[in-house]
Structure formats: structure tokens, C-alpha cells
Amino acid sequence: MNLTLAEKILLNHSRIDDICPGEFIECEIDLIMVHEQLGGRIHVEFEKLGLTKVWDPEKIFFILDHWIPAPTISAAQMHQDARNFARKYQFIHNYSDQLNQGICHQVLPELGFARPGMLIVGSDSHTTTYGAFNCLSTGIGATDVSVVFATGKLWFKVPESYKIALNGEFKKGVMAKDFILQYIGDISTKGAIYKSLEFHAAESLSMDSRMTISNMAVETGAKFGIFLPDARLEKWLKFHTKESYNAMKPDENALYEKTYNYDLSEITPIVAKPSSPGNIEKIENVEGLEIDQAFLGSCTNGRMEDLRIAAKIIKGKSVNRNTRLIITPASKRIYQQAIEEGLIEIFINAGAVVTHSTCGACIGGHLGVLASDEICISSTNRNFKGRMGAPSSQVYLASPATVVASALKGKIADPREVL
Amino acid sequence: MNEIVGIAYILGDDISTDDIVPSYTLTMRDPREMAQFTLKFIDPNFSNDITGKNIIIAGENFGTGSSREEAVNVFKILGIKAIIAKSFARIYYRNLINNGIPGITLNWDETLFSSGDRIKIALHDGIISNISKKKKITFTKLPVFITCILEEGGVLKKLLKNG
Ligand code: SF4
């Protein structure tokens, strides 16, 4: 056989015996993640089907994270609808009342729900994040969620795969975010529409870094962004789950439509200018641009690795007087660990605002919305027009190291100079 | 569903779901209210400008970004019958088809379509006619799998019918 990871996992979840890119198949879903943006509306779709129960209340992971606690009446209303729906259909893994959990894509793996070989879908485009754990995972819309709720199955078009080999290690001040921005810039935001990105990484690449890469795989248009399993993943799983799993590797002579090779030691700090994640620039060319706000957080970069480097840069120093720095840990667990390691104190002493774990500023929802013409450097994944606030506000995407280095100077700054 | 006739409205490249449905409207409960904000950041008068037009013709990577299906629903509410684009973002394309709205991938240029042109799409034959400009162009026919969903008026209706 010559199957890629995506082909193998799709095949495992279907009833066919052979698989070929381009064909339409039906697959059984192992887990579905839903957050409030759909949870509130889905009942309209689902109830059209006239069903009284969901296919498997064990296999639904339900969480509120985008607007928590509700900042407006309309958000509160949406949450109420979502909670009512989850109660009515008796979801087992229902976190809609535990507002302190964090962002869906961080919480789900932390609680051991993302395990190798699984096929996971979610009501959010960054569901690709679980690819870091050797899961085949992707985002779907409300109607697809209704179909899964009703049947546990979903149609897929089998994607062609791109192999991306990652060798070497990042130099000081360079992070996984810089690599993925570079890759998006290299192949463009439409360079991998409908493709599966398969990352062959060295064991030295941390799980946090892999999550950042899988998270932003979708920014190339890709359907999946999956990593091969290795000892580092095994170790992570030991710590996070007791359940068994079926780690998958591609066949040795798997057929890839394209192959890319990156030496991570050659990557340098990258910034994506407004208003596309593919609009990349080397830090040298944007350095010195004055900023109003710096945001460190989101499902892309709100993890321990990110907070640790931020603390290293900012320890004993102060955020520039004309800039505000907002830090949002991606989950409660991360928040707690950051407290234990003394990072939160470092941030607060430096003048940063540390918020509870939520999507918050990333989606321009609350806790850091931008005013007209304001400029923000952000560790998030999208800088579309108006994404973080007013339509004339501008978002520059960068690594956590670059975000915090910039907050210190009040201008976009090269983190290699302050480390 | 084979024949769709309507008036064209042209949009550019990389129209994201954040453009179509700005994030701050997402908590609105009434889809009709939300539809008033469609593409607000691109064209503040869009919800008026689109009146009387019902076939969107867009550039590359249409619907890039989040999975919000509202970005399909608002077009449905505004009466859009089909979307032609140079390429579609993956989730957006699924959402379109699942809602029974044909998405047609076609490499086109300004000589072929302008806003206000009268367009006829023959879905099964793979032919788009620009009646106003008296031009015809063929496109790769949709796979049978997709046309079956469209015939039923969307994936939920198909599910209801076939169980
Ligand atoms: S943190 Fe941002 S990108 Fe991630 S799920 Fe929340 S809104 Fe989406």
C-alpha cells in the first residue's frame, strides 16, 4: 500500500476497502467539538430533523469559550440557548457551565479527548489543531454538525496530501509561529485548499509548537494539518489520558502531491501584515512601526512555551507607556501553571493585563477590542479586516516573542535583540 | 435545479467569512438582522446594493476563514441563488452545498461578467450564459454526489427523505 496519513485514517473510519484522493466517502466520526457560536443556533437546524436524541451523547464535547463570561445581553442569550440545547440532549461532556476551562482547542486535548488515529470534527475552523496529536481533525459548519449529531457520520472528499519535512531546530528568539507564517506566505492562503498537510517533524519540536503549526494549517486552505506520532507525543499522552489509542503512520512509499523541506534553523522572525495571514514580511522590514496594543493569547499561542518566553523577555522590565499588553492564557490549567511558575506575577509587575482564559480579543469580542485606526501586534491566527475590532484597526500577526518584545518598545521589535 | 437565472454581482479575491459576517454581529439572534450587516466592511451599502441581484461572482478563495455558516445563511436570506468563484475555501464550499446553494468553480475575467449582467446557469450541462453580453462559457460539471445534495435542496432535506 502507498497511503498517506489522511488516507489511512479516513479508510479506517469508512466501510470501503480502498481509497483514492478525489472520491467522496462517508466516515464514522469519533468525536465532535461544538462551541457557543453553533451551540446556540444548532437547535434550529437539528430540530428540523425531528429527532428526540443525538446519535451518541458520549462523543460530543461541548464548551463555551468565545464570549465568556458573557459581555453583552446578546452573548448571554446565545449561551442560554446553547446550554438549554446541551441539557435537553443530555451531552455527557458538557462544559457549558464551567466557564473557567479555557479555549476549546486547548481544553479538549488537555482533557485527553484528542488521541492518535481519531477522526474529529468541530464547529470551528481551527479544529485542525488536534493534528498535533496525530488526529485527523477539521472544521465544519452548523448543518454538518446537525448531520453528525443525527447520524454520527459525515461525507468527505478524500484530499491529496502535501508532505512537509521539518528538520533542525529554531534559533534563539524564533518560534513555531514564525515557521507557519513563513509557510503560509510561501504557499499562499489558497495554496493548499482541500489538501491534507502532513508534517514530518523532528522529535525536538515541542507539543506546544506542533499545536501552533496544526492550528494555522487551515490558513493555507488545508483540510487537515497532521503530525506523525513519535516518542514526544507518547510522553504527552501518558500525562493526559489513560485511554487506549491507535497511532498511525503513513506507508513508506505514500504518494504526496507535493513535498516541502524546511530547515527550522534557517527560519527568522516573521510578521503577517494586515489583512491576511499570507501577507508576510521579515521582521527587519516592519521593525519600528508604532503599536497601540500587543496581544498574547488564543488557541494559536497561549500555551506554556509562549508564556515562558514572554516572561523571559519582560522580566524586570516595563511595557512601553504608550502601549498596552494583554495576556490571555489559553486554558485554566495553563493559567494555574503560569501562577505556579511565577509568570503571572512577572507579567503584572511589567504592566500587562492578564485576563481569564477565553477567545476574547482574538475575535474582537471582549477584553481588548480595538478602536478605529489602532494597530495591534497579536499572537493570534487571523488579521482580517475588523477581526479584532473597528474595521479600520490593523492587526499584525507574530510570535509571542515578537509580541512581547514589541510591547516593551511600543513598536514592532525583533525579539532576538532582547533575549 | 438544472437552470438558474439571475443578475450578477461581482466581488473580489479572498472575501473572508469575517468580511461576510463581521464577528460583532455573530451574537445576534435574528438572522434577518444579521443579514443587514453582510459585507459591511467591504461595502457599507451591500445589503441595499444586492437588491435585485442574486448570483454572486467572486474571485479566489471565496469564504476563507472561520466555519461560521451564518456566512452562507445571510446570502440565502438576501436571495442569492448561486455563487460562482475562481476558487472556494473548503468549509465554505461544504456549507454552501449543504444548504442547497450551488457553488461553481470557474476561472473568469472582467470581459466575461460585470455586475448587473443577466446570467443563466445550466448546472447539469456545465454551461454558464451571460445573456447581457451574449457570451457562453463551460465549467467542470459538479460531481454527481454534489448534485444529488443540491437536488434535494440541501443535506438535511436529503437526510430527512432518505433517513
Ligand atoms: S482563540 Fe481565536 S481562533 Fe482560536 S477558537 Fe477562539 S476565536 Fe477562534
Side-chain angles (χ1 to χ4, degrees), chain A residues 24 37 41 45 48-49 67 74-75 77-78 81 123-125 138-144 146-147 150-151 154-156 189-190 193-194 223 363 382 384-387 391, chain B residues 14 16 18-19 23 25-29 34 41-42 60-61 64-70 73 87-91 93-95 97-99 143 145-146 149 155-156 159-160:
Chain A
F24 291 89
Q37 209 184 301
R41 291 187 207 293
E45 301 299 324
K48 278 185 204 160
L49 292 168
W67 293 269
S74 61
Q77 216 68 59
M78 176 187 243
D81 289 346
S123 72
D124 188 282
S125 56
T138 195
I140 55 173
T143 303
D144 274 335
S146 306
V147 172
T151 65
L154 203 62
W155 65 270
F156 287 92
T189 51
K190 40 193 169 279
I193 293 180
Y194 254 103
K223 177 176 196 155
I363 196 175
R382 286 187 181 139
F384 298 145
K385 209 172 179 189
R387 169 75 180 193
Chain B
D14 295 306
S16 74
D18 274 79
D19 292 329
S23 296
T25 69
L26 281 174
T27 56
M28 289 175 184
R29 228 179 177 187
M34 193 187 283
F41 295 167
I42 303 279
E60 300 269 16
N61 208 11
T64 183
S66 96
S67 62
R68 55 187 78 158
E69 198 160 314
E70 289 86 346
N73 296 340
S87 58
F88 287 93
R90 184 191 75 84
I91 303 176
Y93 194 75
R94 284 188 80 98
N95 288 345
I97 301 303
N98 282 342
N99 278 281
F145 183 89
I146 301 277
I149 297 177
V155 81
L156 289 185
L159 196 65
L160 267 175

Coordinates of all heavy atoms in Angstrom, one line a residue, chain A residues 24 37 41 45 48-49 67 74-75 77-78 81 123-125 138-144 146-147 150-151 154-156 189-190 193-194 223 363 382 384-387 391, chain B residues 14 16 18-19 23 25-29 34 41-42 60-61 64-70 73 87-91 93-95 97-99 143 145-146 149 155-156 159-160:
Chain A
F24 N -15.6 10.7 -3.1 CA -16.4 11.1 -1.9 C -16.8 9.9 -1.1 O -17.2 8.9 -1.7 CB -17.8 11.7 -2.4 CG -17.6 13.1 -3.1 CD1 -17.3 13.1 -4.5 CD2 -17.6 14.2 -2.4 CE1 -17.1 14.4 -5.1 CE2 -17.4 15.5 -3.0 CZ -17.2 15.5 -4.3
Q37 N -20.9 29.4 19.4 CA -21.3 30.0 18.1 C -22.3 29.1 17.4 O -23.1 29.6 16.7 CB -20.1 30.3 17.3 CG -20.3 31.5 16.4 CD -19.1 31.7 15.6 OE1 -18.0 31.8 16.1 NE2 -19.3 31.6 14.3
R41 N -27.3 28.1 17.9 CA -28.1 28.1 16.7 C -28.5 26.7 16.2 O -29.5 26.5 15.5 CB -27.3 28.7 15.5 CG -27.1 30.1 15.7 CD -26.5 30.8 14.5 NE -25.8 31.9 14.9 CZ -26.3 33.0 15.3 NH1 -27.6 33.1 15.5 NH2 -25.6 34.0 15.7
E45 N -31.5 24.0 13.3 CA -31.1 23.0 12.3 C -31.5 21.6 12.7 O -32.2 20.9 12.0 CB -29.6 23.0 12.0 CG -29.1 24.4 11.5 CD -29.7 24.8 10.2 OE1 -30.0 24.0 9.4 OE2 -29.9 26.0 10.0
K48 N -35.1 20.6 12.9 CA -35.8 20.4 11.6 C -35.8 18.9 11.3 O -36.7 18.4 10.5 CB -34.9 21.0 10.5 CG -35.2 22.5 10.3 CD -34.4 23.0 9.1 CE -34.2 24.5 9.2 NZ -33.1 25.0 8.4
L49 N -34.9 18.1 11.8 CA -34.8 16.7 11.6 C -35.8 15.9 12.4 O -36.1 14.7 12.2 CB -33.4 16.2 11.9 CG -32.3 16.6 10.9 CD1 -30.9 16.3 11.5 CD2 -32.5 16.0 9.5
W67 N -17.1 34.0 24.0 CA -17.5 35.2 24.8 C -17.9 34.8 26.2 O -19.0 34.8 26.6 CB -18.8 35.8 24.1 CG -18.6 36.4 22.8 CD1 -18.4 37.7 22.5 CD2 -18.8 35.7 21.5 NE1 -18.3 37.8 21.1 CE2 -18.6 36.7 20.5 CE3 -19.1 34.4 21.1 CZ2 -18.7 36.4 19.1 CZ3 -19.2 34.1 19.8 CH2 -19.0 35.1 18.8
S74 N -26.8 40.0 24.2 CA -26.9 39.0 23.1 C -26.0 37.8 23.2 O -26.4 36.7 22.9 CB -26.7 39.7 21.7 OG -25.4 40.2 21.6
A75 N -24.8 38.0 23.8 CA -24.0 36.8 24.0 C -24.6 35.9 25.1 O -24.5 34.7 25.0 CB -22.6 37.3 24.4
Q77 N -27.6 35.6 25.8 CA -28.8 34.9 25.2 C -28.3 33.7 24.4 O -28.9 32.6 24.5 CB -29.5 35.9 24.3 CG -30.9 35.8 24.2 CD -31.6 36.2 25.5 OE1 -31.4 37.3 25.9 NE2 -32.3 35.3 26.1
M78 N -27.2 33.9 23.7 CA -26.7 32.8 22.9 C -26.2 31.7 23.8 O -26.4 30.5 23.5 CB -25.5 33.4 22.1 CG -24.7 32.4 21.3 SD -23.2 33.2 20.7 CE -23.5 33.1 18.9
D81 N -29.2 29.7 25.1 CA -29.7 28.8 24.0 C -28.8 27.5 24.0 O -29.3 26.4 23.9 CB -29.7 29.4 22.6 CG -30.8 30.5 22.5 OD1 -31.7 30.5 23.3 OD2 -30.7 31.2 21.5
S123 N -17.0 22.5 15.3 CA -17.7 23.7 14.7 C -16.8 24.9 14.6 O -17.3 26.0 14.9 CB -19.0 24.0 15.5 OG -18.6 24.5 16.8
D124 N -15.6 24.7 14.3 CA -14.6 25.8 14.3 C -13.5 25.4 13.4 O -13.0 24.3 13.4 CB -14.1 26.0 15.8 CG -13.3 27.2 15.9 OD1 -12.1 27.2 15.5 OD2 -13.8 28.2 16.4
S125 N -13.1 26.4 12.6 CA -12.1 26.1 11.5 C -10.7 25.7 12.1 O -10.0 24.9 11.5 CB -11.9 27.3 10.6 OG -11.5 28.4 11.3
T138 N -10.8 18.4 11.6 CA -11.1 19.5 10.7 C -12.4 20.2 11.1 O -13.2 19.7 11.8 CB -11.2 19.1 9.2 OG1 -11.1 20.3 8.4 CG2 -12.5 18.3 8.9
G139 N -12.6 21.5 10.6 CA -13.8 22.3 11.0 C -14.9 22.1 10.0 O -14.7 21.8 8.8
I140 N -16.1 22.2 10.6 CA -17.3 22.1 9.8 C -18.4 23.1 10.2 O -18.2 23.7 11.2 CB -18.0 20.6 9.9 CG1 -18.2 20.3 11.4 CG2 -17.1 19.6 9.3 CD1 -19.0 19.1 11.6
G141 N -19.4 23.3 9.4 CA -20.4 24.3 9.7 C -21.6 23.7 10.4 O -21.6 22.5 10.7
A142 N -22.6 24.5 10.7 CA -23.8 24.1 11.5 C -24.6 22.9 10.9 O -25.0 22.0 11.7 CB -24.7 25.3 11.7
T143 N -24.7 23.0 9.6 CA -25.5 21.9 9.0 C -24.8 20.5 9.2 O -25.4 19.5 9.5 CB -25.8 22.2 7.5 OG1 -26.5 23.4 7.5 CG2 -26.7 21.1 6.9
D144 N -23.5 20.6 8.9 CA -22.7 19.3 9.1 C -22.8 18.9 10.6 O -22.8 17.6 10.8 CB -21.3 19.6 8.7 CG -21.0 19.4 7.2 OD1 -21.8 18.6 6.6 OD2 -20.0 20.0 6.7
S146 N -25.3 19.2 12.6 CA -26.6 18.6 12.7 C -26.5 17.2 12.2 O -27.1 16.2 12.8 CB -27.7 19.3 12.0 OG -27.7 20.7 12.4
V147 N -25.9 17.0 11.0 CA -25.8 15.7 10.4 C -25.1 14.7 11.3 O -25.5 13.6 11.5 CB -25.1 15.7 9.0 CG1 -24.9 14.4 8.5 CG2 -26.0 16.6 8.1
A150 N -27.1 13.7 14.3 CA -28.2 12.8 14.0 C -27.6 11.4 13.6 O -28.2 10.4 14.0 CB -29.0 13.4 12.8
T151 N -26.5 11.3 12.9 CA -26.1 10.0 12.4 C -24.7 9.6 12.8 O -24.4 8.4 12.6 CB -26.0 10.1 10.8 OG1 -25.0 11.0 10.5 CG2 -27.4 10.6 10.2
L154 N -20.3 11.5 8.4 CA -20.2 12.7 7.6 C -19.6 12.4 6.2 O -18.7 11.5 6.2 CB -19.3 13.7 8.3 CG -19.5 15.2 7.9 CD1 -20.9 15.7 8.2 CD2 -18.5 16.1 8.7
W155 N -19.9 13.1 5.2 CA -19.3 12.9 3.9 C -18.0 13.7 3.8 O -17.8 14.8 4.4 CB -20.2 13.3 2.7 CG -20.6 14.7 2.6 CD1 -21.7 15.3 3.1 CD2 -19.9 15.7 1.8 NE1 -21.7 16.6 2.7 CE2 -20.7 16.9 1.9 CE3 -18.8 15.8 1.0 CZ2 -20.4 18.1 1.3 CZ3 -18.4 17.0 0.4 CH2 -19.2 18.1 0.5
F156 N -17.0 13.1 3.2 CA -15.7 13.7 3.0 C -15.3 13.5 1.5 O -15.5 12.5 1.0 CB -14.6 13.1 3.9 CG -14.7 13.4 5.3 CD1 -15.4 12.6 6.2 CD2 -14.1 14.5 5.8 CE1 -15.6 12.9 7.5 CE2 -14.2 14.8 7.2 CZ -14.9 14.0 8.0
T189 N -2.5 31.8 1.0 CA -3.7 31.4 1.8 C -4.6 30.5 0.9 O -5.6 30.0 1.4 CB -4.4 32.6 2.3 OG1 -4.7 33.5 1.2 CG2 -3.7 33.3 3.4
K190 N -4.3 30.3 -0.3 CA -5.1 29.3 -1.1 C -4.2 28.2 -1.7 O -4.7 27.4 -2.5 CB -5.8 30.1 -2.2 CG -5.0 31.1 -2.9 CD -5.9 32.0 -3.8 CE -5.2 33.2 -4.3 NZ -5.1 34.3 -3.3
I193 N -5.8 24.6 -0.6 CA -7.2 24.4 -0.4 C -7.6 22.9 -0.7 O -7.2 22.3 -1.7 CB -8.1 25.3 -1.4 CG1 -7.9 26.8 -1.0 CG2 -9.5 24.9 -1.3 CD1 -8.6 27.7 -1.9
Y194 N -8.3 22.3 0.3 CA -8.8 21.0 0.2 C -7.7 19.9 0.3 O -7.9 18.7 0.2 CB -9.6 20.7 -1.1 CG -11.1 20.6 -0.8 CD1 -11.9 21.6 -1.1 CD2 -11.6 19.4 -0.2 CE1 -13.3 21.5 -0.7 CE2 -12.9 19.3 0.1 CZ -13.8 20.4 -0.2 OH -15.1 20.3 0.1
K223 N -7.4 21.2 4.8 CA -8.4 20.5 5.5 C -7.9 19.9 6.8 O -8.6 19.9 7.8 CB -8.9 19.4 4.5 CG -10.0 18.5 5.0 CD -10.3 17.6 3.8 CE -11.6 16.8 4.0 NZ -12.1 16.5 2.7
I363 N -11.1 37.5 18.6 CA -12.3 37.6 17.7 C -12.9 39.0 17.9 O -14.0 39.2 17.4 CB -13.3 36.4 18.0 CG1 -14.3 36.3 16.9 CG2 -14.0 36.6 19.3 CD1 -15.2 35.1 17.0
R382 N -5.5 35.2 12.8 CA -6.1 35.9 11.6 C -6.1 37.4 11.8 O -6.4 37.9 12.9 CB -7.6 35.4 11.5 CG -7.7 34.0 10.9 CD -9.0 33.6 10.6 NE -9.0 32.3 10.0 CZ -9.8 31.3 10.3 NH1 -10.8 31.5 11.1 NH2 -9.6 30.1 9.8
F384 N -7.8 39.5 9.5 CA -8.7 40.0 8.5 C -9.2 41.4 9.0 O -9.2 41.7 10.2 CB -9.9 39.1 8.4 CG -9.6 37.7 7.9 CD1 -10.3 36.6 8.4 CD2 -8.6 37.5 7.0 CE1 -10.1 35.3 7.9 CE2 -8.3 36.2 6.5 CZ -9.1 35.1 7.0
K385 N -9.7 42.1 8.1 CA -10.3 43.5 8.4 C -11.3 43.4 9.5 O -12.2 42.6 9.4 CB -11.0 44.0 7.1 CG -11.0 45.4 6.9 CD -11.6 45.8 5.6 CE -11.6 47.3 5.5 NZ -12.3 47.8 4.3
G386 N -11.1 44.2 10.5 CA -12.1 44.2 11.6 C -12.1 43.0 12.5 O -12.9 42.9 13.4
R387 N -11.2 42.1 12.4 CA -11.2 40.9 13.1 C -11.1 41.2 14.7 O -11.8 40.5 15.4 CB -10.0 40.0 12.7 CG -9.7 38.8 13.6 CD -10.6 37.7 13.4 NE -10.3 36.6 14.3 CZ -10.9 35.4 14.1 NH1 -11.7 35.1 13.1 NH2 -10.6 34.4 14.9
P391 N -13.3 48.3 11.9 CA -12.9 47.9 10.6 C -11.6 48.6 10.1 O -10.8 48.0 9.3 CB -14.0 48.3 9.6 CG -15.0 49.1 10.5 CD -14.7 48.8 11.9
Chain B
D14 N -10.3 36.6 -2.0 CA -10.1 36.5 -0.6 C -11.2 37.1 0.3 O -10.9 37.7 1.3 CB -8.7 37.0 -0.2 CG -7.6 36.3 -0.8 OD1 -7.6 35.0 -0.7 OD2 -6.7 36.9 -1.5
S16 N -13.4 37.0 3.1 CA -13.4 36.0 4.2 C -14.8 35.9 4.9 O -15.7 36.8 4.6 CB -12.4 36.4 5.2 OG -12.9 37.6 5.9
D18 N -15.2 36.5 7.9 CA -15.2 37.7 8.7 C -15.7 38.9 8.0 O -16.4 39.7 8.5 CB -13.8 38.0 9.3 CG -13.5 37.2 10.5 OD1 -13.1 36.0 10.4 OD2 -13.5 37.8 11.6
D19 N -15.4 38.9 6.7 CA -16.0 40.0 5.8 C -17.5 39.9 5.7 O -18.2 40.8 5.8 CB -15.3 40.0 4.4 CG -13.8 40.4 4.4 OD1 -13.4 41.2 5.3 OD2 -13.1 39.8 3.5
S23 N -17.5 39.7 13.0 CA -17.6 39.0 14.2 C -18.6 39.6 15.2 O -19.3 38.9 15.9 CB -16.2 38.9 14.9 OG -15.3 38.2 14.1
T25 N -21.4 40.8 14.8 CA -22.8 40.5 14.6 C -23.1 39.1 15.0 O -24.3 38.7 14.9 CB -23.1 40.7 13.1 OG1 -22.5 39.7 12.3 CG2 -22.7 42.1 12.6
L26 N -22.1 38.3 15.3 CA -22.4 36.8 15.5 C -23.3 36.5 16.6 O -23.9 35.4 16.7 CB -21.0 36.1 15.6 CG -20.3 35.9 14.4 CD1 -18.9 35.2 14.7 CD2 -21.1 35.0 13.4
T27 N -23.3 37.4 17.6 CA -24.2 37.1 18.8 C -25.7 37.5 18.5 O -26.5 37.2 19.3 CB -23.7 37.7 20.1 OG1 -23.6 39.1 19.8 CG2 -22.4 37.2 20.5
M28 N -25.9 38.1 17.4 CA -27.3 38.5 17.0 C -28.2 37.3 16.9 O -27.8 36.3 16.2 CB -27.4 39.3 15.8 CG -26.8 40.7 15.9 SD -26.8 41.6 14.3 CE -25.9 43.1 14.8
R29 N -29.4 37.3 17.4 CA -30.2 36.1 17.4 C -31.0 36.0 16.1 O -31.3 34.9 15.6 CB -31.1 36.2 18.6 CG -31.2 34.9 19.3 CD -32.1 35.0 20.5 NE -32.3 33.8 21.2 CZ -33.2 33.8 22.2 NH1 -33.9 34.8 22.5 NH2 -33.3 32.6 22.9
M34 N -28.9 40.1 11.3 CA -27.5 39.9 10.9 C -27.3 40.1 9.4 O -26.3 40.7 9.0 CB -27.2 38.4 11.2 CG -25.7 38.1 11.2 SD -25.5 36.4 11.5 CE -25.7 36.2 13.2
F41 N -18.0 45.7 6.0 CA -16.6 46.3 5.9 C -16.1 46.5 4.5 O -15.2 47.3 4.3 CB -15.6 45.5 6.7 CG -15.9 45.4 8.2 CD1 -15.3 44.5 9.0 CD2 -16.8 46.3 8.8 CE1 -15.5 44.5 10.4 CE2 -17.1 46.2 10.2 CZ -16.5 45.3 11.0
I42 N -16.6 45.8 3.6 CA -16.2 45.8 2.2 C -17.0 46.9 1.5 O -16.5 47.7 0.7 CB -16.4 44.5 1.5 CG1 -15.7 43.3 2.2 CG2 -16.1 44.5 0.0 CD1 -14.3 43.2 1.9
E60 N -10.8 34.5 -6.1 CA -10.1 33.4 -5.5 C -10.5 33.2 -4.0 O -10.8 34.2 -3.4 CB -8.6 33.5 -5.5 CG -8.0 33.7 -6.9 CD -7.6 32.3 -7.5 OE1 -8.1 31.3 -7.0 OE2 -6.9 32.3 -8.5
N61 N -10.5 32.0 -3.5 CA -10.5 31.7 -2.1 C -11.8 32.3 -1.4 O -11.7 32.9 -0.3 CB -9.3 32.3 -1.4 CG -8.9 31.5 -0.2 OD1 -9.4 30.4 0.1 ND2 -7.9 32.0 0.5
T64 N -13.0 32.3 2.7 CA -11.8 31.8 3.6 C -12.1 32.2 5.0 O -12.8 33.2 5.3 CB -10.5 32.5 3.1 OG1 -9.4 32.0 3.8 CG2 -10.5 34.0 3.1
G65 N -11.5 31.5 6.0 CA -11.7 31.8 7.4 C -12.5 30.8 8.2 O -12.3 29.6 8.0
S66 N -13.3 31.4 9.0 CA -14.0 30.6 10.0 C -15.1 29.7 9.5 O -15.4 29.7 8.3 CB -14.5 31.5 11.1 OG -15.9 31.7 10.9
S67 N -15.6 28.8 10.3 CA -16.6 27.8 9.9 C -18.0 28.4 10.0 O -19.0 27.7 9.6 CB -16.5 26.6 10.7 OG -16.8 26.9 12.1
R68 N -18.1 29.7 10.4 CA -19.5 30.2 10.6 C -20.4 30.1 9.4 O -20.2 30.7 8.3 CB -19.4 31.7 11.0 CG -18.6 32.6 10.1 CD -18.4 34.0 10.7 NE -17.3 34.0 11.7 CZ -16.6 35.1 12.0 NH1 -16.9 36.2 11.5 NH2 -15.7 35.0 12.9
E69 N -21.4 29.3 9.6 CA -22.4 29.0 8.5 C -23.3 30.2 8.2 O -23.9 30.3 7.2 CB -23.2 27.8 8.8 CG -23.8 27.2 7.6 CD -24.2 25.7 7.8 OE1 -23.4 25.0 8.3 OE2 -25.4 25.4 7.4
E70 N -23.3 31.1 9.2 CA -24.0 32.4 9.0 C -23.6 33.1 7.7 O -24.4 33.8 7.1 CB -23.7 33.4 10.2 CG -24.3 33.0 11.5 CD -23.4 32.0 12.3 OE1 -22.5 31.4 11.7 OE2 -23.7 31.9 13.5
N73 N -25.9 31.6 5.3 CA -27.3 31.9 5.6 C -27.6 33.3 5.2 O -28.7 33.6 4.7 CB -27.5 31.7 7.1 CG -27.4 30.3 7.5 OD1 -27.4 29.4 6.7 ND2 -27.1 30.0 8.8
S87 N -12.1 30.2 -6.9 CA -11.9 29.1 -6.0 C -12.6 29.4 -4.7 O -12.9 30.5 -4.4 CB -10.4 28.8 -5.7 OG -9.8 29.9 -5.2
F88 N -13.0 28.3 -4.0 CA -13.7 28.4 -2.7 C -12.9 27.9 -1.6 O -12.1 26.9 -1.7 CB -15.0 27.5 -2.8 CG -16.1 28.1 -3.6 CD1 -16.2 27.7 -5.0 CD2 -17.0 29.0 -3.1 CE1 -17.2 28.1 -5.8 CE2 -18.0 29.4 -3.9 CZ -18.1 29.0 -5.3
A89 N -13.0 28.5 -0.4 CA -12.5 27.9 0.8 C -13.3 26.6 1.1 O -14.5 26.5 0.9 CB -12.5 28.9 2.0
R90 N -12.6 25.7 1.7 CA -13.2 24.3 1.9 C -14.5 24.3 2.7 O -15.5 23.8 2.3 CB -12.1 23.4 2.6 CG -12.6 22.0 2.7 CD -11.6 21.2 3.6 NE -11.8 21.6 5.0 CZ -12.8 21.0 5.8 NH1 -13.6 20.1 5.3 NH2 -12.9 21.4 7.0
I91 N -14.4 24.9 3.9 CA -15.6 24.7 4.8 C -16.7 25.5 4.1 O -17.9 25.1 4.2 CB -15.3 25.3 6.2 CG1 -14.1 24.6 6.8 CG2 -16.6 25.1 7.1 CD1 -13.7 25.1 8.2
Y93 N -17.4 26.0 1.1 CA -18.0 25.2 0.0 C -18.9 24.2 0.5 O -20.1 24.0 0.0 CB -16.9 24.6 -0.9 CG -17.4 24.0 -2.2 CD1 -17.7 24.9 -3.2 CD2 -17.7 22.7 -2.4 CE1 -18.3 24.5 -4.4 CE2 -18.2 22.2 -3.6 CZ -18.5 23.2 -4.6 OH -19.1 22.7 -5.8
R94 N -18.5 23.5 1.5 CA -19.4 22.4 2.1 C -20.7 23.1 2.6 O -21.8 22.6 2.4 CB -18.7 21.8 3.4 CG -17.7 20.8 3.1 CD -17.3 20.2 4.5 NE -18.2 19.2 4.9 CZ -18.0 17.9 4.7 NH1 -17.0 17.5 4.1 NH2 -18.9 17.0 5.1
N95 N -20.5 24.2 3.3 CA -21.7 24.9 3.9 C -22.7 25.3 2.8 O -23.9 25.2 2.9 CB -21.3 26.1 4.7 CG -20.6 25.7 6.0 OD1 -20.7 24.6 6.4 ND2 -19.9 26.7 6.6
I97 N -23.1 23.9 -0.3 CA -23.7 22.7 -0.8 C -24.7 22.1 0.2 O -25.9 21.8 -0.2 CB -22.7 21.6 -1.2 CG1 -21.7 22.2 -2.2 CG2 -23.3 20.3 -1.7 CD1 -22.3 22.7 -3.5
N98 N -24.3 22.1 1.4 CA -25.2 21.5 2.5 C -26.5 22.3 2.6 O -27.5 21.8 3.0 CB -24.5 21.5 3.8 CG -23.5 20.4 3.9 OD1 -23.6 19.4 3.2 ND2 -22.6 20.5 4.9
N99 N -26.4 23.6 2.2 CA -27.6 24.4 2.2 C -28.4 24.5 0.9 O -29.3 25.3 0.7 CB -27.2 25.9 2.7 CG -27.1 26.0 4.2 OD1 -28.1 26.1 4.9 ND2 -25.9 25.9 4.7
P143 N -19.7 17.1 -9.4 CA -19.8 15.6 -9.2 C -21.2 15.2 -8.9 O -22.0 16.0 -8.2 CB -18.9 15.3 -8.0 CG -18.1 16.5 -7.8 CD -18.8 17.7 -8.4
F145 N -22.3 13.3 -6.7 CA -22.5 13.3 -5.2 C -23.1 14.6 -4.8 O -24.0 14.7 -4.0 CB -21.2 13.0 -4.6 CG -21.3 12.9 -3.1 CD1 -21.6 11.7 -2.5 CD2 -21.1 14.1 -2.3 CE1 -21.7 11.6 -1.1 CE2 -21.2 14.0 -0.9 CZ -21.5 12.8 -0.3
I146 N -22.5 15.7 -5.4 CA -22.9 17.1 -5.0 C -24.2 17.4 -5.6 O -25.1 18.0 -4.9 CB -21.8 18.1 -5.5 CG1 -20.4 17.8 -4.9 CG2 -22.2 19.5 -5.3 CD1 -20.1 18.3 -3.6
I149 N -27.2 16.2 -3.6 CA -27.5 17.0 -2.4 C -28.3 18.3 -2.8 O -29.3 18.6 -2.2 CB -26.2 17.4 -1.6 CG1 -25.5 16.2 -1.1 CG2 -26.5 18.4 -0.5 CD1 -24.2 16.4 -0.4
V155 N -28.5 19.1 2.5 CA -28.1 17.8 3.1 C -29.1 17.4 4.1 O -29.4 16.2 4.3 CB -26.7 17.9 3.6 CG1 -26.5 18.5 4.9 CG2 -26.1 16.5 3.6
L156 N -29.7 18.4 4.8 CA -30.7 18.0 5.9 C -32.0 17.4 5.2 O -32.6 16.5 5.7 CB -31.1 19.2 6.8 CG -30.0 19.6 7.7 CD1 -30.5 20.7 8.6 CD2 -29.4 18.5 8.6
L159 N -31.3 14.0 4.1 CA -31.3 13.1 5.2 C -32.7 12.8 5.7 O -33.1 11.6 6.0 CB -30.6 13.8 6.4 CG -30.1 12.9 7.5 CD1 -29.0 11.9 7.0 CD2 -29.5 13.8 8.6
L160 N -33.6 13.8 5.7 CA -35.0 13.6 6.1 C -35.7 12.6 5.2 O -36.5 11.8 5.6 CB -35.7 14.9 6.1 CG -35.8 15.7 7.4 CD1 -36.4 17.1 7.1 CD2 -36.5 14.9 8.4

